[in-house]
Amino acid sequence: MTSRTALITGGTSGIGLATAALLHRGGYRVAVTGSTPESVGEARRKLPDDVLVRHADARSLAGTDRIVAEVRDRFGSLDLLFLNAGIMRARPVGEYDEATFDELIAVNFKGQFFTLQKALPLLNDGASVVFTVGIGATRGIVAGSAAAASRGALLALVPSLALELAPRRIRVNAVSPGAIATGLLAKLGVPAEAQEQMAARVPFGRLGTAEEVAEVVAFLGSPGAAYVTGENLVVGGGAGLSA
């Protein structure tokens, strides 16, 4: 009996990296992609040697073809496709320029759509597809309208894809992290005081962890979620709830 297999885009840092480590511990054969040489190098140091770690630009369809071909040669097929790659460009609506807008759409939406399209022949019947969306797509994010919309477009895909792929029992779901303590906050220049304020607004009184989101992704890829499709699971510690 062969082990299960997973491809994680945006898998060299944060939530993607935590998911790769969790799945590997659970017996998966795992491939991850990252967009920068730095994150790829870091993932190679942190992940076991048998994890396939590759550089990939989500905007390049030729690059996606290359990654899918390598995964096919290495694994043969896929049981879980975690489409986690994405970028955040925070700025008021009046300050977005066309190049930034196009970049957000190309990476966060177009790249994920065509990665699924190209990986579809590798997906086993009964496989799982999980998109990372983010809580901002449904509950708002200050100075992040275009970024949230580019991720939110994935939510429009989920129910239609779930119906389209149901005859093969391929499940399509989304996970929407809330305020999660990853390196992204520092990269965006969010100071410690602001992170504390974010945590105070969460009913659980803290930021979430990448590992907690990884557990939800692992569940969606497991037989325990065999009857779950077309859904968006929010991992936000109750963010958005009112007392």
Side-chain angles (χ1 to χ4, degrees):
M1 184 176 182
T2 59
S3 61
R4 294 170 64 80
T5 57
L7 169 60
I8 304 172
T9 67
T12 57
S13 63
I15 291 168
L17 182 64
T19 304
L22 177 65
L23 293 177
H24 186 272
R25 291 196 299 271
Y28 275 78
R29 293 181 292 159
V30 180
V32 301
T33 67
S35 61
T36 68
E38 294 77 15
S39 70
V40 168
E42 187 70 10
R44 285 180 174 145
R45 288 188 290 272
K46 290 183 175 180
L47 293 172
D49 291 341
D50 60 338
V51 173
L52 181 66
V53 181
R54 292 292 183 265
H55 176 268
D57 185 339
R59 296 169 294 185
S60 170
L61 300 191
T64 301
D65 284 329
R66 176 179 54 81
I67 294 298
V68 169
E70 189 166 2
V71 169
R72 182 191 62 233
D73 293 343
R74 176 75 68 95
F75 297 158
S77 63
L78 285 170
D79 297 292
L80 171 60
L81 177 62
F82 182 26
L83 296 163
N84 178 64
I87 57 173
M88 175 63 178
R89 301 289 185 263
R91 59 201 62 179
V93 62
E95 296 180 13
Y96 276 106
D97 54 62
E98 185 177 8
T100 301
F101 185 92
D102 288 346
E103 181 188 27
L104 286 165
I105 297 299
V107 175
N108 294 352
F109 181 60
K110 179 182 175 181
Q112 307 318 306
F113 179 90
F114 282 103
T115 300
L116 171 59
Q117 181 195 76
K118 293 172 182 299
L120 191 58
L122 299 187
L123 293 178
N124 292 316
D125 289 354
S128 176
V129 177
V130 181
F131 291 97
T132 295
V133 174
I135 200 170
T138 55
R139 302 181 187 181
I141 180 169
V142 175
S145 56
S150 64
R151 284 290 206 176
L154 298 172
L155 284 180
L157 287 178
V158 166
S160 295
L161 289 173
L163 288 172
E164 182 177 334
L165 300 180
R168 292 183 55 196
R169 295 178 292 105
I170 294 175
R171 295 170 287 112
V172 183
N173 294 288
V175 61
S176 284
I180 306 297
T182 69
L184 177 62
L185 294 179
K187 187 177 180 180
L188 292 173
V190 180
E193 182 180 359
Q195 293 186 38
E196 292 173 1
Q197 293 172 352
M198 291 168 59
R201 291 194 293 269
V202 177
F204 277 4
R206 65 174 177 85
L207 300 181
T209 68
E211 289 73 20
E212 287 170 325
V213 182
E215 291 282 0
V216 175
V217 177
F219 163 71
L220 290 172
S222 75
Y227 207 52
V228 179
T229 194
E231 301 296 336
N232 175 38
L233 273 65
V234 176
V235 188
L241 298 176
S242 58

